[in-house]
Amino acid sequence: MDGAPSRRFGQGSSGWGWRADSAEVRAPAAGRVAFAGPLSGWGHVVILDLGPGWRAVISGLDELSVEAGARIADGQTLGRTGEDGEVAFELRRDERPIDPAPWLREG
């Protein structure tokens, strides 16, 4: 996402979040879609399998552009947020949340 995050890893947060009103959301890296669909309280969620033990979880989407099992490229559109959207991003290693700061840039 573009711009500074509204929420960062730590202090009760397991990832980063951005205000994203009606925004297109893109893949943070190439991978395979392990899950794409609604999760109660999270909106539509995309879980990307990034390689051995690594997953990216993107939530807060209103519309999806990908399906489970699909291979996706870095920067490919995953979906779109709603009018009052907020998108969340978690990086997980063996199901443990990891601070994504070293791999993300602000701005």
Side-chain angles (χ1 to χ4, degrees), residues 1-7 16-26 58-63 79-89:
M1 293 297 311
D2 292 329
S6 55
R7 181 172 36 93
W16 283 24
W18 289 265
R19 189 84 192 135
D21 300 333
S22 300
E24 190 173 73
V25 177
R26 297 182 176 276
I58 299 94
S59 61
L61 304 172
D62 275 20
E63 301 171 16
R80 193 169 201 76
T81 62
E83 280 184 31
D84 294 322
E86 181 174 90
V87 66
F89 171 76

Side-chain angles (χ1 to χ4, degrees), residues 30-32 48-55 92-94:
R32 184 186 57 79
L48 300 176
D49 183 343
L50 303 175
W54 289 95
R55 291 188 179 237
R92 294 182 168 264
R93 173 72 180 179
D94 298 325

